[in-house]
Amino acid sequence: MADCSLDLPGSSSPPSHLSLLRSWDHRRVPPCPALQGTPLSATLSLVMSQCCRKIKDTVQKLASDHKDIHSSVSRVGKAIDRNFDSEICGVVSDAVWDAREQQQQILQMAIVEHLYQQGMLSVAEELCQESTLNVDLDFKQPFLELNRILEALHEQDLGPALEWAVSHRQRLLELNSSLEFKLHRLHFIRLLAGGPAKQLEALSYARHFQPFARLHQREIQVMMGSLVYLRLGLEKSPYCHLLDSSHWAEICETFTRDACSLLGLSVESPLSVSFASGCVALPVLMNIKAVIEQRQCTGVWNHKDELPIEIELGMKCWYHSVFACPILRQQTSDSNPPIKLICGHVISRDALNKLINGGKLKCPYCPMEQNPADGKRIIF
């Protein structure tokens, strides 16, 4: 039988079946002399029809899969264009960056403090060396001690934390902290987990609960009651919750919170708080900027320390009280502090100056007239 194979010109490698089918044109292929006028048998015709059907189904499936993939990939690009703005510096006044060196030093200090607070001491030291930032040992010491104790707690070593809590007992009591009691309770639970062999040691250690009996009476009763089931095993007793591993995560969180409060540090670093707040506020500020540019409003946003609207960041970001003037509907600041009038009402200094008439001031909430000089600045 003569050779009926197809040779594609210009191809250095054998073509795939799919490309071969797509490039095949029966009108351009010379007929094979040996098969001219020879009818196909029923079996060969059936095989050929099945092969054509399989090829057609495969091509359709590949085209459908390609369409789905192409649709998903095209949506990714549109999502990126929709959610990412190439220019976000416009939401910040240029005056913010006037003192560039000072701003850079503040930013570097915030990064170093964040690294210290996260326990990345070596990274913080490397950044200080490369940025020539001088950090006092007094600034680093609280973070070093905090991370040393936390590392011990993560390894279920209560010794350093108990030593620190005992040495700061009076100050912790002033903060109404239960840290020392929780540390003693966790140590007592570890003794209970040792079984009957640790029963006498657990009873002896229970004397540490005496100073906390008034405030934690119920919890102490629960722990002492668990001794009854010690020989049977606490795992199958009503006190099995005492062996929950979540107590270790809770003690780490309690220690971090109380230690930071005692040392005058925030639980979360200023950098992480600023970043989280920026993620919430940035979309709102960009929408405001777009509206201002669209309506060509000038002078609406020209103060570097003041935003054009109030942005709600949630209760998590409430750190101190703020006062908004009930007359001008503006938040007070150092240049425009709140002033308490003789009648007891509080307004801003700008509102007070605008309400002065003939050297006298009439309270906007009551008819009492008074001397503007009698108003006193208050601090919340």
Side-chain angles (χ1 to χ4, degrees):
M1 182 178 290
D3 187 8
C4 295
S5 61
L6 299 177
D7 293 328
L8 297 180
S11 60
S12 59
S13 60
S16 63
H17 294 290
L18 186 58
S19 62
L20 185 62
L21 285 170
R22 288 179 175 175
S23 62
W24 179 71
D25 188 351
H26 67 279
R27 294 172 298 180
R28 299 179 60 185
V29 178
C32 183
L35 295 179
Q36 272 187 326
T38 304
L40 297 176
S41 64
T43 303
L44 187 56
S45 178
L46 179 61
V47 172
M48 290 292 292
S49 62
Q50 290 177 351
C51 289
C52 290
R53 192 180 304 112
K54 288 183 179 179
I55 292 172
K56 182 179 180 181
D57 293 342
T58 302
V59 172
Q60 288 180 349
K61 185 178 182 302
L62 290 173
S64 177
D65 293 344
H66 178 268
K67 182 179 180 181
D68 294 339
I69 295 174
H70 181 269
S71 176
S72 301
V73 171
S74 63
R75 283 199 297 268
V76 170
K78 294 178 181 178
I80 292 175
D81 294 338
R82 183 172 60 253
N83 292 284
F84 289 87
D85 197 300
S86 58
E87 180 59 44
I88 62 174
C89 296
V91 300
V92 181
S93 174
D94 294 335
V96 174
W97 311 107
D98 288 344
R100 185 173 295 274
E101 293 184 1
Q102 182 181 0
Q103 297 289 346
Q104 185 176 4
Q105 187 175 6
I106 294 174
L107 178 59
Q108 291 173 351
M109 196 65 187
I111 296 174
V112 168
E113 181 177 350
H114 175 78
L115 294 173
Y116 276 130
Q117 196 155 350
Q118 295 298 317
M120 304 178 185
L121 307 180
S122 59
V123 181
E125 293 294 338
E126 187 69 23
L127 177 60
C128 291
Q129 292 179 4
E130 294 186 3
S131 61
T132 63
L133 189 66
N134 294 323
V135 179
D136 295 335
L137 183 61
D138 295 338
F139 175 82
K140 295 188 291 185
Q141 189 61 36
F143 297 106
L144 298 176
E145 186 177 17
L146 188 66
N147 284 284
R148 177 181 63 84
I149 297 174
L150 282 175
E151 287 179 2
L153 288 176
H154 288 147
E155 296 176 358
Q156 298 189 358
D157 181 9
L158 295 170
L162 273 170
E163 182 181 352
W164 184 90
V166 171
S167 61
H168 296 83
R169 176 179 296 171
Q170 188 59 39
R171 296 182 63 188
L172 288 172
L173 290 175
E174 294 175 359
L175 296 174
N176 295 323
S177 171
S178 59
L179 174 63
E180 186 179 355
F181 168 74
K182 290 182 177 180
L183 290 169
H184 286 303
R185 182 186 65 176
L186 194 55
H187 185 78
F188 184 82
I189 292 173
R190 290 189 68 180
L191 295 175
L192 293 179
K198 295 287 185 178
Q199 184 173 3
L200 293 178
E201 187 177 351
L203 286 171
S204 176
Y205 192 82
R207 72 180 188 274
H208 290 91
F209 295 139
Q210 183 177 359
F212 312 100
R214 184 175 60 86
L215 296 177
H216 302 279
Q217 180 180 358
R218 177 58 183 165
E219 296 172 86
I220 295 174
Q221 289 174 347
V222 170
M223 286 185 289
M224 300 309 296
S226 65
L227 292 170
V228 178
Y229 293 88
L230 198 58
R231 295 187 180 276
L232 300 176
L234 291 180
E235 297 83 359
K236 301 178 181 179
S237 72
Y239 300 94
C240 60
H241 65 277
L242 294 175
L243 303 178
D244 195 344
S245 59
S246 62
H247 292 305
W248 288 100
E250 179 187 352
I251 199 63
C252 289
E253 182 179 346
T254 302
F255 172 77
T256 302
R257 182 184 66 248
D258 292 350
C260 288
S261 178
L262 193 66
L263 298 173
L265 304 172
S266 59
V267 178
E268 297 184 17
S269 68
L271 182 65
S272 60
V273 174
S274 301
F275 180 80
S277 302
C279 291
V280 175
L282 187 59
V284 181
L285 295 177
M286 293 184 69
N287 290 336
I288 296 173
K289 175 177 174 290
V291 172
I292 292 176
E293 292 178 350
Q294 183 180 4
R295 299 186 180 181
Q296 297 181 353
C297 302
T298 58
V300 177
W301 192 355
N302 52 12
H303 301 287
K304 67 176 183 179
D305 296 329
E306 184 178 322
L307 297 177
I309 65 168
E310 183 176 349
I311 299 177
E312 181 62 44
L313 298 178
M315 291 288 294
K316 188 178 180 180
C317 294
W318 286 18
Y319 294 99
H320 55 82
S321 301
V322 294
F323 176 76
C325 176
I327 305 302
L328 300 180
R329 306 290 184 183
Q330 293 179 352
Q331 182 176 322
T332 54
S333 60
D334 292 337
S335 59
N336 181 29
I339 304 296
K340 179 178 175 293
L341 305 180
I342 295 178
C343 56
H345 294 106
V346 180
I347 59 176
S348 65
R349 177 178 291 173
D350 290 348
L352 183 145
N353 294 332
K354 292 182 178 181
L355 291 173
I356 296 176
N357 187 11
K360 291 290 183 180
L361 171 67
K362 185 176 181 180
C363 177
Y365 288 96
C366 63
M368 182 176 181
E369 290 190 358
Q370 50 200 291
N371 187 354
D374 295 333
K376 295 183 178 180
R377 176 179 179 176
I378 60 175
I379 300 175
F380 291 97

